Amino acid sequence: MQEAIQDNLRRMKNFMGFAKGFIIRKNPVRTFAENFLAVLKNMFSITQKRKLARYRLSATMYKLQKYEETIAANNEHTFLRGNKLNEMR
């Protein structure tokens, strides 16, 4: 009986040593805090990201429109002018 108790205490001490090493290595509380802060930063910066994406989209659409106008103006075929180019695309 005494040996079984000592064996169980030794196993528990061993387990506590492994658990302590894991907590020191991985530090789950700090990892959770860092991830939580990253999520908060993303949540608060979503409006800025949306504005940036909207700006990039409008700039790209403007460039595409200018390219289409240039192609239509420099092409001798009249069927490519106007909305026909948009339909062919």
Side-chain angles (χ1 to χ4, degrees), residues 32-44:
F32 173 76
E34 289 173 355
N35 288 342
F36 184 72
L37 286 176
V39 168
L40 283 179
K41 286 179 183 177
N42 280 337
M43 284 175 47
F44 289 129

Side-chain angles (χ1 to χ4, degrees), residues 28-72:
V29 175
R30 186 183 64 191
T31 304
F32 173 76
E34 289 173 355
N35 288 342
F36 184 72
L37 286 176
V39 168
L40 283 179
K41 286 179 183 177
N42 280 337
M43 284 175 47
F44 289 129
S45 66
I46 197 78
T47 305
Q48 182 180 4
K49 290 177 183 177
R50 185 173 46 107
K51 286 180 182 178
L52 184 61
R54 187 181 299 155
Y55 170 76
R56 286 181 180 165
L57 178 65
S58 65
T60 305
M61 291 300 292
Y62 176 76
K63 288 179 185 178
L64 181 64
Q65 181 184 6
K66 289 298 175 187
Y67 290 149
E68 288 176 348
E69 288 175 3
T70 304
I71 290 170

